Amino acid sequence: MFKRYRYVILLLLFIASLINYIDRAALSILAPMVSEDLKLNAAQMGFLFSSFAIGYALFCFIGGYLADKLGPKKVFAGAMGIWSLFAGLTAFAFSFVSLFIVRIIFGAAEGPNGSATNKTVSNWFPANERARAVAISFAGNPIGGAIAAPIITSIALVGGWRISFIILAIIGFIWFAAWIILVKDHPYEIRRVTKQEINEIQGGMIAETEVKTENKKLGFYLRQPSILFTALAFFSYSYILFFFMTWFPSYLIDVRNLDMKTMSIANTLPWVVGAIGLALGGFLTDYIFKVTKKLLFSRKIVIVIGLLLSAICISLTGLVESIGSALALMSIGIFFMYITTSCYWAIVQDSVQGNNVGAVSGFVHLLANTAGIIAPTITGFIIQATGDYTGAFFLAGGLAIISSILVAIFVRPMRSKNNEENMANFSR
């Protein structure tokens, strides 16, 4: 079926991202049912939405570090197994505190997903395919978000919200078994991988136009402005994402007066459009690189323009009067947000030596996902205090505008003794 075994790996990464976002979105979609059953108010729901990111953000870095030390196969398998278990345990929550604890551990288990994916792509794909491979891998995220609402809502309306989480756990364990059987950390560890494919991968690991710093310790990379401001842009991206994922379903019900079934259908549109944007972004940045021969520029330009356009659309969503306009603007905003996805990961892959890719990816993902703690909580308090969502839309858009400007100014090539001669190829 697949001419190259690395595409089997890519398919499993895509499905993992799909499962990841179905699991992650489930509580937001079922929030009206859960809050009514457990007698929770808007501020408490905001804390519950944020509880996921408390564990998630920390284990983004820990998971990336472990992926470098233990290999992405073990880390990814452990992550999927534990988060599937705690997705199932969500069904047994009986209070705010019990649900809060389950969500923290659930989030911690999902934390290694991004950095382990990036490490796997770095091991299995040549440089000229990486951005596309990352884009395809993470395209499962918005597709998972798109199909989560109708699937989970349908299950919940028939069997109750608790049974939805049990079914999600079963799906995760099925993927876990496939990953254990089919995947190794490196291509040469699998007999079915041909010598031709190994040569393709290894031959493209260091492209002539790809410039990395000399092999440095982890601390060197964590202090680089290029890494830090990439993380800031990723934070703004994540703020929009978590705001959309956690509160937009409630916005459609509270402000636009949709019922659960209609909301589940309407909420799929931004996710579907976002999936197209995510896949397109990987191909777009690789194409810009092919034309300009400027690696960092090809990543930066997509981030800056994508975040600016997303910010405009997200901000306007809070002002329009019709449900059609709100859905259209939010969908376009999510499209441009998702276009930038592969570029954050690609900057790390392009700049960092392989023995630190997982840890640096995890560090950037950690900083980005502190937005998952902040965005749902602040949004909950804004709604509680004002009874309106407008301020929350403006805040999400404003952060994206600021970070896109800072990326344009401060994300520059990393200086090292070994790459001064090639810096023109890696210029802004």
Side-chain angles (χ1 to χ4, degrees), residues 83-279:
W83 99 51
S84 296
L85 173 63
F86 278 85
L89 289 177
T90 304
F92 299 95
F94 55 88
S95 66
F96 169 78
V97 174
S98 64
L99 187 53
F100 187 83
I101 293 171
V102 168
R103 293 296 291 182
I104 288 177
I105 302 174
F106 170 75
E110 284 204 354
N113 175 51
S115 51
T117 297
N118 211 34
K119 180 69 174 181
T120 303
V121 170
S122 181
N123 287 353
W124 274 88
F125 287 83
N128 63 333
E129 294 182 12
R130 286 182 193 152
R132 282 170 283 175
V134 168
I136 293 170
S137 297
F138 290 130
N141 291 349
I143 294 175
I147 65 177
I151 291 174
I152 291 172
T153 300
S154 298
I155 295 171
L157 290 175
V158 173
W161 66 269
R162 296 178 188 272
I163 194 66
S164 300
F165 289 100
I166 294 174
I167 292 174
L168 293 177
I170 294 171
I171 294 171
F173 286 124
I174 293 172
W175 182 93
F176 171 87
W179 181 261
I180 291 294
I181 294 169
L182 297 173
V183 175
K184 298 289 184 182
D185 287 327
H186 300 280
Y188 55 79
E189 296 177 291
I190 298 179
R191 291 182 179 180
R192 291 175 59 188
V193 179
T194 64
K195 291 183 179 180
Q196 179 184 355
E197 182 173 8
I198 292 174
N199 290 335
E200 286 177 8
I201 296 169
Q202 293 179 342
M205 285 295 183
I206 304 176
E208 292 181 0
T209 49
E210 181 185 34
V211 178
K212 290 178 181 282
T213 59
E214 60 185 281
N215 194 6
K216 295 284 188 178
K217 292 183 178 180
L218 177 60
F220 168 81
Y221 295 111
L222 303 189
R223 295 190 301 269
Q224 293 301 304
S226 180
I227 296 297
L228 294 173
F229 282 98
T230 296
L232 175 64
F234 208 173
F235 172 90
S236 298
Y237 164 104
S238 296
Y239 191 99
I240 293 173
L241 177 60
F242 276 98
F243 164 64
F244 165 68
M245 184 165 53
T246 57
W247 282 107
F248 194 65
S250 296
Y251 165 80
L252 292 175
I253 292 173
D254 297 340
V255 178
R256 299 301 177 178
N257 300 315
L258 301 184
D259 57 38
M260 280 286 293
K261 186 175 181 180
T262 307
M263 176 277 291
S264 70
I265 297 171
N267 193 56
T268 62
L269 179 61
W271 287 114
V272 171
V273 174
I276 296 170
L278 200 159

